[in-house]
Amino acid sequence: GQQVMQIPQYQHVQEGEDFTTYCNSSTTLSNIQWYKQRPGGHPVFLIQLVKSGEVKKQKRLTFQFGEAKKNSSLHITATQTTDVGTYFCAGVNNDMRFGAGTRLTVKP
Amino acid sequence: KAGVTQTPRYLIKTRGQQVTLSCSPISGHRSVSWYQQTPGQGLQFLFEYFSETQRNKGNFPGRFSGRQFSNSRSEMNVSTLELGDSALYLCASSLGQGVSYEQYFGPGTRLTVT
């Protein structure tokens, strides 16, 4: 079945440094979604990528979908303390498979 | 609009018991999906309901079941509880059928099985 791998599991950065998390699916996806979960909170939708090679930006966040629609990345430029949380990718075909998430901590 | 609501927020049950969790979607949303979140297994898809019918199902045993009512509210039932069922159960609603749509998550029900 479809598997979604996400790395790294943890990332600790100094405020102002960049951050990237990567997702890789064992199968081609129809689309991929990204969510953020703050400590003690619930996942909140960030974005959906549908097209091969798609790149979308939200302020300091850049999302990419690979040409083969099997991998994706989220890059945060100049992290802030408000960026802390766990970032999940979710690969979608007939169902939704979440990556294990990358827990980001930011030292002020 | 009010967000997705889930009741109860916390629950403690004993092994062998059964439990029913409730989810009210965002007004106008007809799809409700359920997820289990644990530290070990992460976020796992349980099932999705749309127009009172189960449309998709994850890889969980038959002890996990659900239903959706005509007002789109959904319930999830777990029978014969096991210690490993301790988890945060999240429901999410979306506008359309299928998990391709943006999922709006509720705050979750934290179930502890002792």
Side-chain angles (χ1 to χ4, degrees):
Chain A
Q2 175 192 316
Q3 300 290 332
V4 176
M5 306 300 294
Q6 187 174 358
I7 58 169
Q9 190 174 359
Y10 301 96
Q11 186 78 59
H12 179 72
V13 300
Q14 191 80 31
E15 189 173 21
E17 292 181 337
D18 292 355
F19 159 78
T20 306
T21 174
Y22 301 89
C23 272
N24 190 59
S25 170
S26 58
T27 60
T28 302
L29 301 169
S30 62
N31 70 77
I32 193 161
Q33 299 176 18
W34 285 90
Y35 292 81
K36 176 183 178 182
Q37 186 173 20
R38 293 182 185 274
H42 56 273
V44 174
F45 176 84
L46 293 176
I47 209 157
Q48 181 183 68
L49 304 171
V50 179
K51 300 177 183 176
S52 168
E54 190 169 16
V55 178
K56 287 189 177 180
K57 292 189 176 184
Q58 289 179 350
K59 297 183 181 178
R60 295 178 294 105
L61 278 61
T62 302
F63 303 84
Q64 294 188 325
F65 202 10
E67 293 291 338
K69 299 183 72 172
K70 295 177 73 172
N71 56 72
S72 181
S73 65
L74 157 60
H75 179 82
I76 302 178
T77 303
T79 54
Q80 300 175 358
T81 54
T82 53
D83 294 326
V84 298
T86 301
Y87 293 84
F88 293 95
C89 62
V92 178
N93 272 320
N94 294 321
D95 61 7
M96 180 179 282
R97 300 289 177 103
F98 280 84
T102 296
R103 182 178 296 180
L104 172 66
T105 55
V106 179
K107 185 176 181 182
Chain B
K1 280 186 181 179
V4 177
T5 57
Q6 291 186 245
T7 57
R9 292 293 310 280
Y10 302 90
L11 206 49
I12 300 175
K13 289 286 188 178
T14 305
R15 269 183 303 177
Q17 288 186 315
Q18 73 158 14
V19 66
T20 299
L21 312 181
S22 181
C23 172
S24 292
I26 291 172
S27 177
H29 285 194
R30 295 170 60 194
S31 172
V32 173
S33 297
W34 288 89
Y35 299 83
Q36 182 195 64
Q37 187 172 33
T38 60
Q41 299 298 318
L43 262 166
Q44 293 184 283
F45 171 76
L46 280 156
F47 31 63
E48 182 217 357
Y49 284 86
F50 182 86
S51 293
E52 302 178 62
T53 303
Q54 188 180 94
R55 304 292 178 163
N56 279 305
K57 191 177 190 302
N59 190 26
F60 277 81
R63 300 185 297 108
F64 292 81
S65 64
R67 58 177 177 168
Q68 186 180 35
F69 302 95
S70 58
N71 62 358
S72 294
R73 191 177 69 83
S74 178
E75 287 182 348
M76 190 190 89
N77 184 274
V78 188
S79 62
T80 319
L81 284 165
E82 301 176 359
L83 293 179
D85 297 333
S86 294
L88 180 66
Y89 289 89
L90 294 157
C91 95
S93 72
S94 62
L95 271 172
Q97 178 190 340
V99 291
S100 284
Y101 289 84
E102 172 182 346
Q103 304 283 299
Y104 292 82
F105 283 85
T109 294
R110 185 163 296 282
L111 171 65
T112 302
V113 182
T114 62

